[in-house]
Amino acid sequence: MDTHTYYIGMGSNVAGASALLACARFWMCRLLGRDIRFSAPVNTEPVDFPWPALFTNQVAMVVCAKEPAALGALLKRIERLLGRLPQHKRQGVMRIDLDILCADGQVLRQADWNRPDVVEAVRSLGRCL
Protein backbone atom coordinates (compact mmCIF):
# COMPACT_ATOMS: atom_id res chain seq x y z
CA MET A 1 0.00 0.00 0.00
CA ASP A 2 1.46 3.36 -1.05
CA THR A 3 1.47 6.21 1.43
CA HIS A 4 1.22 9.90 0.78
CA THR A 5 2.52 12.87 2.74
CA TYR A 6 0.15 15.79 3.20
CA TYR A 7 0.29 19.16 4.89
CA ILE A 8 -3.13 20.29 6.06
CA GLY A 9 -3.96 23.85 7.04
CA MET A 10 -6.25 24.10 10.04
CA GLY A 11 -7.97 27.26 11.23
CA SER A 12 -10.84 28.88 13.08
CA ASN A 13 -11.88 32.47 13.83
CA VAL A 14 -14.62 31.94 16.43
CA ALA A 15 -14.72 31.95 20.20
CA GLY A 16 -13.58 28.53 21.29
CA ALA A 17 -11.20 28.16 18.31
CA SER A 18 -8.64 26.30 20.42
CA ALA A 19 -11.24 23.73 21.49
CA LEU A 20 -12.45 23.29 17.89
CA LEU A 21 -8.88 22.71 16.69
CA ALA A 22 -8.39 20.18 19.50
CA CYS A 23 -11.53 18.36 18.33
CA ALA A 24 -10.28 18.43 14.72
CA ARG A 25 -6.94 16.98 15.87
CA PHE A 26 -8.79 14.22 17.75
CA TRP A 27 -10.89 13.27 14.71
CA MET A 28 -7.95 13.43 12.33
CA CYS A 29 -5.96 11.06 14.55
CA ARG A 30 -8.92 8.76 15.03
CA LEU A 31 -9.78 8.56 11.32
CA LEU A 32 -6.29 8.76 9.79
CA GLY A 33 -4.13 6.89 12.27
CA ARG A 34 -1.20 7.83 14.40
CA ASP A 35 1.23 9.09 11.76
CA ILE A 36 0.23 12.73 12.21
CA ARG A 37 2.18 15.62 13.66
CA PHE A 38 0.76 19.04 14.47
CA SER A 39 2.45 22.40 14.66
CA ALA A 40 1.71 24.67 17.58
CA PRO A 41 -1.42 26.80 17.15
CA VAL A 42 -0.78 30.49 16.41
CA ASN A 43 -3.05 33.52 16.24
CA THR A 44 -2.98 35.41 12.94
CA GLU A 45 -4.69 38.38 11.36
CA PRO A 46 -7.33 37.54 8.73
CA VAL A 47 -6.09 37.63 5.12
CA ASP A 48 -8.63 38.51 2.41
CA PHE A 49 -11.45 37.74 4.81
CA PRO A 50 -14.30 40.11 5.69
CA TRP A 51 -14.47 39.25 9.38
CA PRO A 52 -11.98 41.12 11.62
CA ALA A 53 -11.60 38.37 14.23
CA LEU A 54 -8.19 36.80 14.67
CA PHE A 55 -7.70 33.28 13.38
CA THR A 56 -6.14 30.46 15.32
CA ASN A 57 -4.19 28.41 12.77
CA GLN A 58 -1.97 25.39 12.73
CA VAL A 59 -0.66 22.83 10.26
CA ALA A 60 -0.81 19.05 10.36
CA MET A 61 1.64 16.76 8.57
CA VAL A 62 -0.12 13.50 7.74
CA VAL A 63 1.30 10.32 6.25
CA CYS A 64 -1.49 7.99 5.15
CA ALA A 65 -2.68 5.75 2.32
CA LYS A 66 -5.66 7.94 1.36
CA GLU A 67 -5.67 9.51 -2.09
CA PRO A 68 -6.08 13.32 -2.16
CA ALA A 69 -9.79 13.25 -3.10
CA ALA A 70 -10.60 10.78 -0.33
CA LEU A 71 -8.62 12.80 2.22
CA GLY A 72 -10.35 16.01 1.12
CA ALA A 73 -13.76 14.36 1.56
CA LEU A 74 -12.76 13.14 5.02
CA LEU A 75 -11.64 16.63 6.04
CA LYS A 76 -14.98 18.08 4.85
CA ARG A 77 -16.76 15.41 6.90
CA ILE A 78 -14.81 16.49 10.00
CA GLU A 79 -15.70 20.14 9.30
CA ARG A 80 -19.41 19.25 9.15
CA LEU A 81 -19.09 17.13 12.29
CA LEU A 82 -17.68 20.18 14.09
CA GLY A 83 -20.55 22.38 12.98
CA ARG A 84 -19.32 24.11 9.84
CA LEU A 85 -22.17 25.18 7.56
CA PRO A 86 -21.97 26.46 3.96
CA GLN A 87 -23.31 29.89 4.93
CA HIS A 88 -20.65 30.47 7.59
CA LYS A 89 -17.97 31.62 5.15
CA ARG A 90 -20.36 34.07 3.48
CA GLN A 91 -21.12 35.44 6.96
CA GLY A 92 -17.41 35.90 7.68
CA VAL A 93 -17.37 33.06 10.19
CA MET A 94 -14.84 30.28 9.84
CA ARG A 95 -15.86 27.84 12.55
CA ILE A 96 -13.35 25.25 11.34
CA ASP A 97 -11.41 25.04 8.11
CA LEU A 98 -9.32 22.04 7.06
CA ASP A 99 -7.56 22.26 3.70
CA ILE A 100 -4.89 20.18 1.98
CA LEU A 101 -2.06 22.63 1.30
CA CYS A 102 0.48 20.21 -0.14
CA ALA A 103 0.29 16.59 -1.32
CA ASP A 104 3.45 14.57 -1.94
CA GLY A 105 5.46 17.72 -2.55
CA GLN A 106 2.90 19.34 -4.87
CA VAL A 107 1.60 22.60 -3.44
CA LEU A 108 -2.16 22.84 -3.95
CA ARG A 109 -2.85 26.16 -2.26
CA GLN A 110 0.08 28.43 -3.09
CA ALA A 111 -1.22 31.58 -1.38
CA ASP A 112 -1.77 29.73 1.89
CA TRP A 113 1.51 27.81 1.57
CA ASN A 114 3.45 31.10 1.38
CA ARG A 115 1.88 32.69 4.48
CA PRO A 116 4.53 33.29 7.19
CA ASP A 117 2.66 31.26 9.81
CA VAL A 118 2.41 28.27 7.44
CA VAL A 119 6.08 28.54 6.43
CA GLU A 120 7.07 28.49 10.11
CA ALA A 121 4.68 25.63 10.93
CA VAL A 122 5.97 23.51 8.03
CA ARG A 123 9.56 24.24 9.09
CA SER A 124 8.73 23.04 12.63
CA LEU A 125 7.19 19.82 11.27
CA GLY A 126 9.91 19.01 8.75
CA ARG A 127 9.21 20.00 5.19
CA CYS A 128 8.72 17.19 2.65
CA LEU A 129 9.67 19.27 -0.40
Side-chain angles (χ1 to χ4, degrees):
M1 183 179 315
D2 290 335
T3 60
H4 304 279
T5 301
Y6 299 100
Y7 288 94
I8 298 168
M10 306 169 64
S12 175
N13 74 342
V14 298
S18 294
L20 282 166
L21 288 170
C23 288
R25 290 189 303 268
F26 168 82
W27 284 110
M28 288 170 68
C29 289
R30 182 163 179 131
L31 297 171
L32 294 170
R34 297 185 184 268
D35 205 356
I36 302 176
R37 295 189 334 212
F38 298 96
S39 69
V42 296
N43 291 323
T44 63
E45 294 288 333
V47 176
D48 296 328
F49 205 75
W51 190 258
L54 287 177
F55 274 80
T56 302
N57 292 311
Q58 70 184 134
V59 174
M61 186 175 82
V62 177
V63 178
C64 68
K66 290 204 177 293
E67 294 298 324
L71 177 59
L74 179 78
L75 296 175
K76 295 306 166 204
R77 193 169 112 205
I78 293 170
E79 288 177 345
R80 286 189 303 277
L81 178 70
L82 296 180
R84 180 170 173 176
L85 300 173
Q87 65 267 29
H88 284 163
K89 190 170 185 177
R90 291 189 301 277
Q91 296 168 346
V93 174
M94 190 54 68
R95 184 167 172 78
I96 190 75
D97 191 32
L98 306 172
D99 294 311
I100 301 171
L101 304 176
C102 180
D104 292 328
Q106 179 182 358
V107 175
L108 306 176
R109 298 178 66 97
Q110 192 68 53
D112 292 335
W113 187 253
N114 291 332
R115 287 190 348 238
D117 62 293
V118 172
V119 170
E120 181 55 37
V122 169
R123 184 178 296 125
S124 76
L125 293 170
R127 191 167 176 174
C128 73
L129 297 177

